[in-house]
């Protein structure tokens, strides 16, 4: 699950906040197209995430959507969910995925679809300025939607890799890229490392060649450039940097590419070169 301190204030204005709700729905719909007609046996296909099948990936998304829905609509219910998680902090994510993956695929698919629809309604109805509880600092509805989009895209990539499908990158990746940039210091903190004091410049080529998404001071000495898709694959740890066309200028920027992550929790092992690509 993404770190809320990294993704809060993700929407720069009201239009961006509304757009992320639409983009989240579309990201879910695109993944639904991959799994909606899968034969039952294919749900057990292994994905690049060790020990997780396609069913585990969808079950995890459903579990986290349910947590987000409770956060928006039921403080007490969300509190109970957090209490359960605290009883098994190192395993509750895997346990939630295992529970859902044990369901018949048709039932899991139906639950995931219903959960997405309920979360969509709750996000649209939420006060834009209210901060809702999460596994860490609270966050606004737009930030929660952006975080859910990032997870949907990342776990959708695992599903696509398992099925041998190459997805076309879309402008929705701007949400994932922004989280990755904002999570720079968190990636160091979770490893017990000091974050660089200076800001970085990040320039990412927009999918389709329609411009550049830029973050940070234009004159920053430490710089990252490359395709937005590659940056998003890196910060979600869905590909090894050796397989990506990202260029680092400066030693601090180069070191960041080795530790970057856009999700909360311990530093993951990442992917081996060419694994799952």
């Amino acid at each position: 699950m993404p770190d809320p301190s990294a993704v809060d204030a993700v929407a720069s204005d009201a239009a961006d906040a509304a757009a992320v709700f639409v983009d989240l729905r579309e990201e879910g719909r695109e993944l639904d197209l991959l799994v909606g007609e899968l034969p039952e046996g294919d749900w057990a296909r292994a994905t690049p995430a060790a020990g997780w099948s396609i069913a585990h990936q969808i079950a995890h998304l459903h579990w986290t959507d349910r947590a987000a829905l409770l956060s928006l609509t039921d403080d007490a219910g969300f509190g109970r969910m957090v209490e359960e998680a605290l009883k098994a902090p190192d395993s509750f994510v895997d346990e939630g995925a295992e529970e859902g993956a044990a369901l018949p695929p048709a039932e899991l698919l139906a639950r995931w679809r219903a959960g997405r629809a309920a979360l969509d309604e709750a996000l649209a109805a939420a006060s834009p300025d209210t901060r809702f509880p999460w596994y860490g600092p609270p966050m606004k509805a737009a930030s929660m939607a952006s975080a859910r989009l990032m997870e949907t895209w990342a776990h959708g990539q695992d599903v696509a890799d398992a099925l041998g499908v190459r997805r076309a990158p879309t402008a929705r990746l701007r949400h994932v890229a922004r989280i990755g940039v904002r999570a720079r210091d968190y990636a160091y903190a979770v490893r017990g490392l000091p974050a660089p004091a200076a800001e970085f410049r990040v320039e990412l080529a927009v999918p389709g060649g329609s411009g550049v998404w830029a973050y940070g001071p234009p004159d920053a000495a430490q710089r990252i450039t490359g395709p937005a898709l590659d940056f998003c694959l890196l910060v979600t740890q869905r590909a090894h940097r050796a397989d990506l066309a990202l260029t680092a200028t400066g030693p601090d920027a180069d070191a960041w590419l080795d530790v970057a992550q856009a999700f909360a929790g311990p530093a993951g092992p990442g992917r081996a070169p060419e694994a799952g690509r």
Side-chain angles (χ1 to χ4, degrees), residues 2 6-7 10 20 23-24 27 145-155 157 167 170-184 202 204 213 215 228-238 256 261-263:
V7 303
V10 70
V20 72
D23 287 346
L24 174 59
E27 197 65 42
S146 183
R148 297 306 310 126
L149 188 152
M150 186 271 285
E151 275 219 297
T152 302
W153 180 81
H155 290 283
Q157 186 63 44
R167 303 185 298 173
T170 74
R172 296 190 299 274
L173 287 179
R174 70 189 185 278
H175 305 291
V176 182
R178 190 180 294 175
I179 292 173
V181 170
R182 290 180 62 84
R184 187 200 72 170
V202 179
L204 304 175
W213 293 327
Y215 312 87
L229 172 62
D230 287 23
F231 183 75
C232 293
L233 288 168
L234 180 82
V235 298
T236 57
Q237 295 191 358
R238 262 55 189 183
W256 181 37
Q261 70 179 65
F263 52 88

Side-chain angles (χ1 to χ4, degrees), residues 65-89:
D65 283 346
R66 184 165 62 90
L69 180 62
L70 285 173
S71 172
L72 292 165
T73 63
D74 183 355
D75 279 354
F78 181 75
R80 289 190 293 272
M81 197 172 192
V82 171
E83 288 176 2
E84 288 300 313
L86 291 175
K87 294 177 182 178

Side-chain angles (χ1 to χ4, degrees), residues 69-121:
L69 180 62
L70 285 173
S71 172
L72 292 165
T73 63
D74 183 355
D75 279 354
F78 181 75
R80 289 190 293 272
M81 197 172 192
V82 171
E83 288 176 2
E84 288 300 313
L86 291 175
K87 294 177 182 178
D90 296 327
S91 61
F92 76 96
V93 171
D94 285 330
E95 288 170 2
E98 287 284 355
E99 181 180 351
L103 295 171
E107 183 176 348
L108 174 58
L109 180 62
R111 291 190 185 190
W112 177 54
R113 286 172 171 170
R116 282 161 43 211
L119 179 58
D120 177 51
E121 291 182 7

